[in-house]
Amino acid sequence: MTHAALAPRGGRFKKLLRGKDDPNSPRLSPLWTFVAWLATLAFFAPVAWMVLTSFHQEADAATNPPTPFAPVTFDQYKLLFSRDITPFLLNSAMASILSTVLVLALAVPAAYALSIKPVEKWTDVMFFFLSTKFLPAIAALLPVYLIVKDAGMLDNVWTLVVLYTAMNLPIAVWMMRSFLAEVPKEILEAAEVDGAGLLTVLWRVVAPVAMPGLAATSLICFIFSWNEFMFAVNLTATQASTAPVFLVGFITNEGLFLARLCAAATLVSLPVLIAGFAAQDKLVRGLSLGAVK
Amino acid sequence: MTTLTAPPKQAPPPVRPRKSSGSAAKWKRRVPLLPALIFTIVVTQLPFVATLIISTFQWNILKPGERHFVGLSNFSFVFTDERLRTAVLNTVVLTASVVVISVILGLGLAMLLDRRFVGRGLARTLLIAPFLVMPVAAALLWKHAIYNPDYGLLNGTLNAVYRFFGADNGPTVDWISSYPMPAVVVSLVWQWTPFMMLILLAGLQAQPGDVLEAARMDGASALQTFRHITLPHLRQYIELGVLLGTIYVVQTFDAVFTITQGGPGSQTTNLPYEIYLTMFRKYEYGEAAAAGVVVVLGAFVIATFALRTIASLFREETSR
């Protein structure tokens, strides 16, 4: 069991450069270090190019050969905000944050009922939740579209909130269960023997262990909702469109503004990039549904 | 917490509902679970039932008044349709190549990042960036900033290299038209390799150090150690990566929609995109629903394997 997540962390930047502290792990030879950095830079190059281009003028962006050292400007970002990307970002923020809150409100009690005071056949319930993730979303698009249309809920952020909640709930239940399963059983029993009420147990024993897990779960749900495209593009039109739908306008080649596209792509990816960098150690566990630490 | 390869112990599961508790107590346990369970059933299972029903109708919204029950004929259409067969094949090719290539690259990167080197933490941070870029943004980035024949980074760099060596101009390759499927695959491999690397790196770092030490003492070569110790240890992590990757990559919609729109022709049309076209371009609701049902059945086959693997991981955890 690891409580490393709870430990205070100092020298964050140093840690970033050194990576996971493990003086026993063998060193990479200079040749392989070079290979590792070459591969890293190859993978990072498109991201770097996207960010770099977003700070150029259109004339400097679409050149052949490329001109990476063209003058830097914030014009593209100014243009984006003056040409109404804001409502799209607000819709994205609303759909992602509201659905994340809803997911947690539903998943935390469920995970509690599946780990700390487990219901009978709790593994079956777990697998039911997981099995819904295997249903391809495209197979549900048609009935969802028809129902939403009949209910007059097309182009409404709340429709996305409900769908994103359903999309992330199984993942959240699995993750939260794996975090709650780390609460030491002996301490729970001792607290009950001492006559501590449910709320006291939850607050004093469960919460401190589960908090980092809660943060990681919210992060994963936020990322998946923020990035979702298929439902957003098919179920919204003008009022409730999210950031990925804003980007659809850049699909055609005619009259393309490459620098502005790069600025938009950077801007909409930024929240997830920041959150992901900040919580990279939690990312693995979330992405593998808590099966891998 | 357990590592995935911890040997199952004989001890009984630490948590077990008391059999003797009365029905009131049972319900007290169930209450916190019910909201999530009911929500999930309503939002995910009902649409599937609706899909099943719609799949038995001839229903094209361009021909109102012609909606009628046709039994299973939509399914015979689905199984005989040339376009759908192509879409199935494309889906298999796309998914298999993306998953296999990104697992192999991810394994290589994880092996490198498992060792200490200058700036390892920074390298890891930079490496996960592709996975964090919004998929639609990533697809547009590849389509326009990288693959574009006139000003894309790929041709631009080739051109710069040619000029550096004194040639007039580099080749102008229209990557997406000339190599549509590889173009989509490369952009997806770029996005999914960091995911595989993260999972495999977690696996490598959970490897017990004493076993590796013992292997070194016994004079095993690096290759032998990798084949006989590291690879078997990583097996479950690789399976998990392959299964989770498959589940997500099978459903790829963003990249196809954005980069190629299924083209040229239907060379890159995968099942999700084909169903989308049937629904919102041909308006054949019955056919789209039938194709959806077939996709679910296919997903069910993959899911059976996936659930079995995850169940084995899960059993080890609960039997600790």
Side-chain angles (χ1 to χ4, degrees):
Chain A
M1 161 146 12
T2 165
H3 285 290
L6 294 171
R9 41 185 69 195
R12 193 152 192 150
F13 183 68
K14 253 186 172 170
K15 205 178 151 193
L16 182 77
L17 282 179
R18 254 184 305 148
K20 200 178 157 188
D21 265 331
D22 186 4
N24 293 325
S25 85
R27 278 200 151 270
L28 212 54
S29 69
L31 175 69
W32 285 109
T33 303
F34 178 73
V35 173
W37 267 105
L38 206 64
T40 303
L41 294 178
F43 268 89
F44 191 67
V47 181
W49 187 245
M50 169 178 89
V51 177
L52 195 63
T53 308
S54 77
F55 288 110
H56 286 167
Q57 298 290 2
E58 292 299 348
D60 299 323
T63 59
N64 185 349
T67 44
F69 303 110
V72 166
T73 166
F74 285 91
D75 285 2
Q76 306 308 332
Y77 290 93
K78 282 184 209 144
L79 268 170
L80 278 178
F81 281 108
S82 69
R83 303 244 180 110
D84 48 60
I85 195 177
T86 318
F88 293 90
L89 292 175
L90 286 177
N91 283 333
S92 268
M94 220 176 123
S96 314
I97 293 170
L98 288 174
S99 77
T100 302
V101 171
L102 202 55
V103 164
L104 292 180
L106 292 168
V108 172
Y112 178 85
L114 292 166
S115 60
I116 291 181
K117 297 264 184 190
V119 295
E120 332 79 279
K121 303 204 170 165
W122 61 277
T123 45
D124 292 351
V125 179
M126 291 288 288
F127 282 109
F128 165 72
F129 276 118
L130 191 58
S131 69
T132 65
K133 275 313 288 177
F134 295 118
L135 295 178
I138 188 78
L141 180 60
L142 177 62
V144 165
Y145 173 77
L146 294 173
I147 294 164
V148 167
K149 199 171 93 175
D150 279 352
M153 292 285 282
L154 279 179
D155 207 12
N156 186 321
V157 176
W158 284 100
T159 302
L160 295 182
V161 171
V162 171
L163 291 172
Y164 294 172
T165 304
M167 170 176 92
N168 288 328
L169 190 55
I171 303 172
V173 169
W174 269 73
M175 277 182 77
M176 278 317 296
R177 197 213 67 92
S178 93
F179 284 107
L180 288 181
E182 283 190 2
V183 177
K185 292 288 171 302
E186 311 80 55
I187 302 182
L188 279 177
E189 277 158 21
E192 275 181 10
V193 170
D194 289 349
L198 178 65
L199 283 180
T200 317
V201 173
L202 285 180
W203 187 245
R204 303 293 291 273
V205 183
V206 178
V209 181
M211 269 311 161
L214 201 70
T217 310
S218 329
L219 174 79
I220 295 286
C221 294
F222 176 82
I223 291 179
F224 280 133
S225 311
W226 183 269
N227 286 347
E228 202 282 333
F229 175 64
M230 196 188 68
F231 284 122
V233 78
N234 288 312
L235 300 178
T236 67
T238 51
Q239 297 296 312
S241 295
T242 55
V245 184
F246 176 85
L247 290 176
V248 169
F250 288 100
I251 285 184
T252 55
N253 264 322
E254 299 111 56
L256 179 79
F257 298 97
L258 188 65
R260 201 188 304 162
L261 160 65
C262 286
T266 307
L267 194 65
V268 299
S269 303
L270 205 58
V272 169
L273 278 167
I274 293 171
F277 286 158
Q280 41 177 306
D281 46 342
K282 308 265 172 42
L283 216 55
V284 191
R285 190 157 165 181
L287 294 171
S288 58
L289 305 162
V292 170
K293 304 293 144 59
Chain B
M1 213 58 216
T2 58
T3 61
L4 292 175
T5 50
K9 290 181 193 146
Q10 293 305 310
V15 285
R16 193 194 292 164
R18 268 164 293 176
K19 287 279 184 317
S20 57
S21 51
S23 74
K26 272 186 186 167
W27 275 104
K28 213 175 148 194
R29 281 169 190 273
R30 282 177 197 154
V31 167
L33 178 65
L34 291 180
L37 202 56
I38 294 167
F39 182 88
T40 304
I41 291 171
V42 170
V43 184
T44 66
Q45 308 298 293
L46 290 187
F48 182 62
V49 175
T51 309
L52 272 178
I53 297 169
I54 298 169
S55 71
T56 60
F57 280 87
Q58 161 77 49
W59 183 4
N60 185 324
I61 58 157
L62 296 182
K63 302 168 194 156
E66 282 184 26
R67 183 168 73 178
H68 60 278
F69 180 78
V70 290
L72 295 179
S73 78
N74 282 325
F75 287 92
S76 61
F77 172 80
V78 164
F79 283 111
T80 51
D81 184 47
E82 185 73 35
R83 279 190 66 91
L84 270 163
R85 261 209 302 271
T86 315
V88 171
L89 196 67
N90 285 339
T91 309
V92 173
V93 170
L94 181 75
T95 310
S97 33
V98 170
V99 171
V100 169
I101 298 171
S102 56
V103 164
I104 292 171
L105 289 178
L107 179 63
L109 288 169
M111 297 286 291
L112 290 173
L113 264 77
D114 187 41
R115 307 237 164 162
R116 285 185 301 151
F117 63 89
V118 181
R120 170 167 74 164
L122 182 63
R124 188 180 123 148
T125 305
L126 295 182
L127 266 176
I128 59 175
F131 189 71
L132 298 172
V133 171
M134 180 184 283
V136 179
L140 281 165
L141 178 73
W142 280 88
K143 180 181 167 79
H144 292 304
I146 295 174
Y147 290 142
N148 185 289
D150 299 322
Y151 48 77
L153 189 58
L154 220 47
N155 281 349
T157 309
L158 280 178
N159 195 13
V161 171
Y162 269 70
R163 285 196 192 174
F164 182 79
F165 287 106
D168 281 347
N169 265 313
T172 301
V173 185
D174 190 345
W175 299 97
I176 297 175
S177 314
S178 316
Y179 310 99
M181 187 58 97
V184 177
V185 168
V186 167
S187 79
L188 286 171
V189 164
W190 175 76
Q191 281 229 299
W192 284 96
T193 301
F195 170 82
M196 301 300 179
M197 182 204 70
L198 283 174
I199 287 185
L200 295 174
L201 187 59
L204 284 172
Q205 296 189 336
Q207 201 169 206
D210 47 348
V211 179
L212 293 176
E213 187 69 25
R216 206 168 24 243
M217 298 290 269
D218 291 344
S221 72
L223 197 68
Q224 283 172 324
T225 315
F226 177 76
R227 250 203 78 197
H228 297 289
I229 298 177
T230 305
L231 215 52
H233 166 79
L234 278 185
R235 209 190 105 184
Q236 285 180 302
Y237 293 86
I238 294 174
E239 282 174 1
L240 188 72
V242 167
L243 290 167
L244 292 174
T246 307
I247 293 162
Y248 284 108
V249 178
V250 158
Q251 305 197 28
T252 298
F253 179 74
D254 323 35
V256 173
F257 183 97
T258 308
I259 299 179
T260 62
Q261 262 123 38
S266 54
Q267 284 186 52
T268 54
T269 303
N270 66 347
L271 268 172
Y273 192 70
E274 176 64 30
I275 295 176
Y276 162 83
L277 289 179
T278 315
M279 217 181 298
F280 290 108
R281 294 287 179 273
K282 286 162 68 188
Y283 303 106
E284 289 285 357
Y285 286 2
E287 284 172 20
V293 173
V294 173
V295 169
V296 170
L297 293 179
F300 185 76
V301 176
I302 303 174
T304 319
F305 287 105
L307 287 174
R308 201 174 298 160
T309 305
I310 294 173
S312 73
L313 297 175
F314 201 54
R315 252 197 311 282
E316 285 183 11
E317 186 194 334
T318 52
S319 66
R320 100 191 103 113

